[in-house]
Amino acid sequence: WLISSSGASPGAKPMADEVEELELPEDVSPPPSAAQLVDGLKNSLSVKLPDLRSFLTGIADCPAEDPGLSELSEEIVAAREVVEAVNGYDDATTRARKRLDLRGSPQDAGVLDVMEALLASWRGLGQVEASLKERGQPLVAEQVELTGRSRRYEAQALCEAVLDQAVDAKDELYRALSASEAGDLASVLRFES
């Protein structure tokens, strides 16, 4: 490799005294092709979410002219769907845990938004899982367990805890409303809808 040290424009020929010889290490290899990336996943015994994320990162590093990109478009779309669904679920569970960590007075109906997000993200995981199975061809992304036992137990426990907090919030809001008419009627009505 030859590099000009003068900062001349890329099209200009460098002067003889401006050229440096730069040697690349011999162990530098080109990034794997799209086909090599998906073959690596297909040959593994189990595919986990980090494997899909690495696959998508590797695909982003593939040159645009890589013929495997168009051939693997269904694999890429499926991998993105799985990663997005799991990211949405992870965001909802993080939000639910933060809400549960609020140990003070549950004086707002925000707990309902948390419950709604948690249920919607769980439903999204199931929809992506069903969509992958309906496509009729085996895809690497199908191997990622979306609604498996551990995630199901986690979702169940969080939903129960958030529901308990919602009931406590509703009870407290009703007590506040009946004790003095200064309670937040809009929050109480939100529970009723």
Side-chain angles (χ1 to χ4, degrees), residues 110-130:
V111 68
L112 297 178
D113 295 331
V114 170
M115 177 65 102
E116 186 177 328
L118 193 56
L119 292 173
S121 68
W122 178 257
R123 208 171 26 254
L125 288 175
Q127 289 170 343
V128 167
E129 194 170 65

Side-chain angles (χ1 to χ4, degrees), residues 89-131:
Y89 173 78
D90 289 345
D91 290 345
T93 58
T94 298
R95 190 172 162 203
R97 283 187 182 89
K98 286 180 181 175
R99 176 64 195 189
L100 293 171
D101 287 342
L102 297 174
R103 298 260 184 240
S105 172
Q107 277 294 329
D108 69 324
V111 68
L112 297 178
D113 295 331
V114 170
M115 177 65 102
E116 186 177 328
L118 193 56
L119 292 173
S121 68
W122 178 257
R123 208 171 26 254
L125 288 175
Q127 289 170 343
V128 167
E129 194 170 65
S131 167

Side-chain angles (χ1 to χ4, degrees), residues 104-166:
S105 172
Q107 277 294 329
D108 69 324
V111 68
L112 297 178
D113 295 331
V114 170
M115 177 65 102
E116 186 177 328
L118 193 56
L119 292 173
S121 68
W122 178 257
R123 208 171 26 254
L125 288 175
Q127 289 170 343
V128 167
E129 194 170 65
S131 167
L132 291 174
K133 290 178 182 168
E134 290 174 357
R135 291 187 183 176
Q137 61 180 346
L139 298 169
V140 170
E142 279 183 72
Q143 295 180 35
V144 175
E145 199 169 315
L146 294 176
T147 56
R149 182 177 301 163
S150 64
R151 212 174 258 132
R152 186 179 21 211
Y153 288 143
E154 175 188 44
Q156 179 182 353
L158 284 170
C159 282
E160 287 173 359
V162 171
L163 186 58
D164 287 345
Q165 196 176 61

Side-chain angles (χ1 to χ4, degrees), residues 9-30:
S9 65
K13 289 196 171 222
M15 303 289 282
D17 60 339
E18 295 178 341
V19 175
E20 291 180 36
E21 192 78 25
L22 181 67
E23 292 195 29
L24 292 176
E26 290 181 21
D27 62 345
V28 172
S29 59

Side-chain angles (χ1 to χ4, degrees), residues 10-97:
K13 289 196 171 222
M15 303 289 282
D17 60 339
E18 295 178 341
V19 175
E20 291 180 36
E21 192 78 25
L22 181 67
E23 292 195 29
L24 292 176
E26 290 181 21
D27 62 345
V28 172
S29 59
S33 69
Q36 290 171 322
L37 288 168
V38 80
D39 286 344
L41 286 177
K42 285 181 179 178
N43 293 330
S44 67
L45 295 176
S46 69
V47 176
K48 305 253 186 263
L49 188 64
D51 301 324
L52 277 187
R53 286 185 173 130
S54 295
F55 167 70
L56 290 174
T57 301
I59 290 294
D61 292 340
C62 287
E65 63 274 356
D66 185 334
L69 289 176
S70 61
E71 294 170 13
L72 297 173
S73 64
E74 193 68 25
E75 289 282 2
I76 295 167
V77 168
R80 285 186 180 137
E81 287 174 3
V82 167
V83 169
E84 287 173 7
V86 172
N87 286 347
Y89 173 78
D90 289 345
D91 290 345
T93 58
T94 298
R95 190 172 162 203
R97 283 187 182 89

